[in-house]
Amino acid sequence: IAVQAEPRRSAFARLQADLAEAKGKLAERELVDKAKRILMQSKGVTEPEAYAELRRKAMSSSRRIVDIAEAVVTAHELMGGE
C-alpha cells in the first residue's frame, strides 16, 4: 500500500504546484489590469495604449511587465488613489 501511496502523493504535489502557479499568474494578471486601468484613467489612453506603455517601460528597463505594473499601482496608492 505504501508503494501505491507514493505516486499519488507525487501527483498531488504536482497538482498543488500547478495550482499555486496558476494563482500566481492570475494575481499578476490582475495587477497588470489594475495598472492599465490607472493609466487609462489618468492619461486618457485606450487599453491597448496603456498596455503598450507598460510593455515599453518594461523592455527599456529590462524588467517584467508585472514589476512595472506593481510600481504603477503602488505609486497610485501613495498618491491617494483607490
Side-chain angles (χ1 to χ4, degrees), residues 9 18-19 22 24 26 28 36-37 39 44 50 59 68 71 75 81:
R9 239 181 267 143
D18 289 348
L19 179 59
L26 179 60
E28 288 181 356
K36 287 192 296 188
R37 285 192 301 275
L39 292 174
M59 291 178 72
I68 302 302

Side-chain angles (χ1 to χ4, degrees), residues 29-60:
R29 177 62 186 249
E30 289 171 350
L31 192 61
V32 170
D33 286 346
K34 188 171 183 176
K36 287 192 296 188
R37 285 192 301 275
I38 290 167
L39 292 174
M40 290 165 63
Q41 289 175 338
S42 66
K43 299 183 96 177
V45 296
T46 65
E47 185 273 337
E49 291 169 331
Y51 183 79
E53 276 198 51
L54 292 171
R55 187 169 183 264
R56 264 193 306 277
K57 185 62 179 172
M59 291 178 72
S60 70

